[in-house]
Amino acid sequence: MTMERLYIYDTTLRDGQQTQGVQFSTPEKHQIAAALDQLGVDYIEGGWPGANPTDSEFFDAAPETRARLTAFGMTKRAGRSAANDEVLAAVMNAGTQAVCLVGKTHDFHVETALGITLEENTDNIAQSVAHIVAQGREALFDAEHFFDGYKSNPDYAITAVKAAYDAGARWVVLCDTNGGTLPGDIHAITRAVIEAGIPGDCLGIHTHNDTENAVAGSLAAIDAGARQVQGTLNGLGERCGNANLTALIPTLLLKEPYASRYETGISREALGGLTQASRQLDDILNRVPLRQAAYVGASAFAHKAGLHASAILKDPTTYEHIDPETVGNARIIPMSNQAGQSNLRRRLAEAGLEVEKDSPALPRILDEIKTREAKGYTYDSAQASFELLARAELGILPEFFEVKRYKVTVERRKNKYNNMISLSEAVVVVKVDGEKKLSVSESMDEAGSDRGPVNALAKALAKDLGRYQDQIADMRLVDFKVRITQGGTEAVTRVIIDSEDGQGRRWSTVGVSPNIVDASFEALLDAINWKLLRGDG
């Protein structure tokens, strides 16, 4: 059977930038565009030239991409020609092969928001699209609020999108702008548009996730006949976000009937880079990746219950819907007090520790985990600390250095500008190869901001470890999470630290104490010891 072509349109750099708290710099846009192009999307919407300096700079030095770079703008305004609309001119001047214009298709928005007649709006759409086509560009029309508009006035909504199609638009994109349309309605309305005369291979779908149905709605439109799907990496977007391409892409490539019916520009080999692309975006945004994210999340292939782990050892398909390596992810067998020996041996094997099934160390390790979790520890999300614990019970944990003592002081005082500031200082004494080493660090960074007592402690601990110093030089703390596991005067603090090194490895460690600094120090010690275990700097 001949496969149909399905086109992937990414709008991370434009619609994704509408996410609260997200503002890409021009270099960051170039990094993201490169990652998207390597993945193999068909279109990369770079932004709205002329709307802000960053977007204009991006197009001024537009990257060379295999994907079709697209500039976004809006249809011409009433009362002027398309050739004389300076807003439209800025979009055209970006020089991209493709231009996507947004226009109103909901009668309420036309008459209330724009304050013009329905006929004027339709004429604006047609003239704008014709202007793009006349200059030899590929024209796309984003039909804003289309599904709400169709429910309100189906005849006008169809008239508006047909105006774009008849004027030469390569793609008419049906937008669920408010994100409230459910998949069944998206399917029915998309079919109605096709039956009204716009072929499916000229129709696209653009959904928002306000009902957690953006991916489902996109699939419904594809089922109805649409052949372009729009979305963003990691589901970025205004309010609740857009259709998440990290879920849509693997679904289209790996799940039936899509895998057999459609081909995209994304190869199976490129799909293996999906998890990396997802996490690269989170790194750029300085965000912690969502563990529960479908396909690419750290917990997407994590198996906690002992029964599950036992089955996974026999055949991974018992509890996995795809091979995690297909999307560049990995299987994880977390440790917790729910774990049995199957879980334990699997996790030990992943750490390179082969332990016999009848080893007396196995119940000792399980008992220690259960005892510690009763005190507030968690090894479900602190895999590196689990490995250190297991190695200690197995008698194969080397002692790289010994901490003799540490001290942290916090001073609050006024500076020379009479502003109250805090300053932390940490002193750490370690013993390496029989030699004591004392290190002191402050929490003040280069910009003069106080980074807190844990920061001072981390810097002091990593300041001088003798012959091990080079091995930890590329370590950095990327996330710090604090939880109170008991309330009242007997509160216990749990600290989980995520660390990363120059090779891109990321590991989590845990510390527990009534004292937050002490809990942090324990997690920091584990982080450094795990890194030293790797012995490859």
Side-chain angles (χ1 to χ4, degrees):
M1 185 177 71
T2 302
M3 298 181 76
E4 294 183 64
R5 185 68 159 88
L6 191 63
Y7 294 85
I8 310 294
Y9 184 108
D10 181 90
T11 180
T12 303
L13 301 181
R14 200 275 304 173
D15 219 351
Q17 192 166 244
Q18 305 304 311
T19 309
Q20 187 175 12
V22 169
Q23 182 62 50
F24 298 123
S25 67
T26 301
E28 288 170 344
K29 283 199 163 199
H30 280 271
Q31 289 181 54
I32 297 166
L36 291 167
D37 199 44
Q38 186 173 9
L39 188 60
V41 300
D42 297 290
Y43 294 83
I44 297 174
E45 189 174 73
W48 188 330
N52 59 73
T54 301
D55 283 6
S56 297
E57 288 172 10
F58 175 79
F59 287 106
D60 287 344
E64 292 289 334
T65 59
R66 179 208 55 79
R68 183 155 289 200
L69 197 62
T70 307
F72 181 88
M74 66 180 185
T75 56
K76 81 170 189 71
R77 290 164 291 178
R80 66 194 71 193
S81 68
N84 291 319
D85 188 304
E86 66 274 13
V87 176
L88 181 54
V91 178
M92 298 298 294
N93 289 340
T96 55
Q97 292 176 292
V99 176
C100 181
L101 299 183
V102 63
K104 305 291 187 185
T105 55
H106 186 177
D107 58 354
F108 169 74
H109 282 267
V110 173
E111 296 173 329
T112 304
L114 295 182
I116 60 176
T117 67
L118 301 183
E119 292 74 17
E120 284 178 307
N121 181 63
T122 305
D123 186 58
N124 289 344
I125 294 170
Q127 287 192 38
S128 300
V129 171
H131 180 63
I132 296 172
V133 175
Q135 295 196 27
R137 314 284 184 83
E138 178 179 332
L140 298 91
F141 176 65
D142 263 12
E144 189 180 35
H145 295 286
F146 178 78
F147 292 97
D148 292 331
Y150 184 89
K151 293 174 185 177
S152 170
N153 187 339
D155 290 339
Y156 182 71
I158 293 291
T159 297
V161 293
K162 286 198 71 175
Y165 176 69
D166 292 342
R170 167 65 183 90
W171 293 105
V172 172
V173 183
L174 309 181
C175 301
D176 184 29
T177 308
N178 286 351
T181 308
L182 297 181
D185 285 341
I186 288 178
H187 184 280
I189 294 171
T190 302
R191 285 302 309 166
V193 173
I194 294 173
E195 291 167 2
I198 300 180
D201 59 6
C202 291
L203 272 185
I205 180 66
H206 178 112
T207 58
H208 283 257
N209 203 35
D210 297 72
T211 64
E212 285 286 352
N213 276 288
V215 170
S218 297
L219 294 174
I222 293 170
D223 291 342
R227 293 297 175 260
Q228 186 202 89
V229 59
Q230 299 195 355
T232 59
L233 205 58
N234 291 351
L236 292 184
E238 193 172 18
R239 303 184 313 278
C240 304
N242 290 39
N244 190 344
L245 290 182
T246 61
L248 259 174
I249 289 172
T251 296
L252 294 171
L253 268 67
L254 303 175
K255 299 296 184 179
E256 297 296 347
Y258 310 103
S260 298
R261 184 173 180 183
Y262 303 109
E263 62 176 351
T264 70
I266 299 170
S267 67
R268 284 297 187 95
E269 182 181 5
L271 184 63
L274 184 66
T275 298
Q276 181 182 355
S278 169
R279 293 178 185 176
Q280 180 183 353
L281 177 61
D282 282 325
D283 283 343
I284 289 172
L285 295 174
N286 196 26
R287 289 183 166 190
V288 178
L290 180 64
R291 286 183 174 273
Q292 281 72 35
Y295 294 100
V296 298
S299 296
F301 302 96
H303 306 279
K304 185 172 183 177
L307 177 64
H308 291 200
S310 177
I312 285 287
L313 283 169
K314 298 171 184 174
D315 186 339
T317 61
T318 52
Y319 285 98
E320 289 177 350
H321 65 111
I322 66 164
D323 181 346
E325 292 184 3
T326 307
V327 292
N329 209 340
R331 180 178 303 116
I332 294 176
I333 308 295
M335 293 311 305
S336 76
N337 59 14
Q338 295 182 33
Q341 289 198 14
S342 295
N343 248 4
L344 180 57
R345 292 182 64 237
R346 172 73 182 193
R347 182 62 188 94
L348 290 172
E350 288 180 349
L353 302 172
E354 296 295 335
V355 181
E356 294 299 323
K357 197 171 185 179
D358 57 353
S359 171
L362 293 176
R364 289 204 311 269
I365 295 171
L366 284 174
D367 287 343
E368 183 65 16
I369 288 171
K370 293 174 183 178
T371 299
R372 284 174 169 251
E373 287 200 337
K375 295 178 180 179
Y377 288 85
T378 175
Y379 295 99
D380 187 9
S381 54
Q383 299 295 318
S385 286
F386 156 73
E387 183 181 339
L388 296 176
L389 180 154
R391 285 178 176 272
E393 289 295 327
L394 291 168
I396 55 172
L397 180 64
E399 185 178 69
F400 299 103
F401 61 94
E402 178 187 3
V403 176
K404 304 301 290 185
R405 67 181 178 90
Y406 80 85
K407 179 174 70 173
V408 178
T409 59
V410 180
E411 180 184 7
R412 187 162 173 80
R413 59 178 171 81
K414 288 190 175 182
N415 63 12
K416 62 181 179 180
Y417 303 108
N418 204 37
N419 295 323
M420 190 65 72
I421 62 169
S422 294
L423 179 66
S424 302
E425 182 182 76
V427 179
V428 176
V429 178
V430 298
K431 192 173 184 179
V432 185
D433 296 329
E435 180 184 354
K436 285 186 179 181
K437 297 177 180 293
L438 184 147
S439 298
V440 181
S441 263
E442 291 184 340
S443 58
M444 199 73 71
D445 62 17
E446 294 179 357
S449 299
D450 177 50
R451 308 297 294 177
V454 175
N455 175 266
L457 194 57
K459 290 196 296 184
L461 180 60
K463 203 167 191 177
D464 186 1
L465 287 181
R467 62 189 173 99
Y468 302 114
Q469 193 60 37
D470 289 344
Q471 293 185 37
I472 64 169
D474 63 342
M475 268 186 67
R476 66 186 184 98
L477 188 153
V478 293
D479 194 27
F480 179 86
K481 297 179 282 289
V482 178
R483 296 289 184 272
I484 304 301
T485 62
Q486 298 177 23
T489 57
E490 297 182 356
V492 173
T493 302
R494 178 171 67 221
V495 170
I496 294 178
I497 288 177
D498 288 350
S499 303
E500 194 172 63
D501 65 12
Q503 299 180 47
R505 293 182 301 202
R506 189 168 182 146
W507 63 99
S508 299
T509 51
V510 62
V512 170
S513 171
N515 184 309
I516 186 173
V517 175
D518 201 46
S520 302
F521 189 72
E522 183 182 7
L524 286 168
L525 280 176
D526 273 8
I528 291 175
N529 276 304
W530 188 90
K531 170 68 170 171
L532 292 177
L533 270 174
R534 295 303 170 267
D536 49 11

